[in-house]
Amino acid sequence: QVQLVESGGGLVQAGGSLRLSCAASGRIFSIALMGWYRQAAGKQRELVATITSGADTNYADSVKGRFTISRDNGKNTVYLQMNSLKPEDTAIYYCNVNAATTGPVSRYWGQGTQVTVSS
């Protein structure tokens, strides 16, 4: 089993920055893919960004050039640096990892952290 602990959410004014962190723990053999998703009120959860173990990244068009995803493999931690935040970035942000433990590779979700951007 893998536990994900997220931190770094909060309230910020438009144009501001926040940095989210997500640390994975448990009997982890490897983590292939790490990423962030978000869900705004009344909307479906959507991809924000992903990063592979080889540091290949993928971003939603809406955040390209503003958000940067990174990871520390030694700490099993993924980060999301969010700059030039907009009110439409307001959502609950969820960490997601594809991890190999004692069983097959499985997908795990964090509990979510609220990001609120005021205009």
Side-chain angles (χ1 to χ4, degrees), residues 8-94:
L11 173 64
V12 65
Q13 289 187 331
S17 299
L18 285 173
R19 189 190 193 211
L20 305 182
S21 300
C22 174
S25 63
R27 297 187 65 182
I28 299 170
F29 293 149
S30 64
I31 299 178
L33 189 69
M34 306 183 85
W36 291 93
Y37 290 71
R38 66 186 182 187
Q39 187 168 16
K43 295 187 177 181
Q44 290 188 331
R45 190 172 298 189
E46 63 177 5
L47 170 73
V48 176
T50 60
I51 184 168
T52 69
S53 57
D56 291 323
T57 58
N58 179 52
Y59 295 93
D61 288 343
S62 59
V63 306
K64 282 181 181 177
R66 300 188 298 121
F67 291 10
T68 302
I69 190 170
S70 61
R71 62 190 283 175
D72 183 331
N73 291 328
K75 295 181 179 180
N76 287 335
T77 299
V78 61
Y79 305 96
L80 186 68
Q81 178 66 44
M82 304 185 294
N83 299 328
S84 302
L85 282 161
K86 304 175 181 180
E88 50 264 43
D89 294 318
T90 295
I92 299 174
Y93 284 70
Y94 296 92

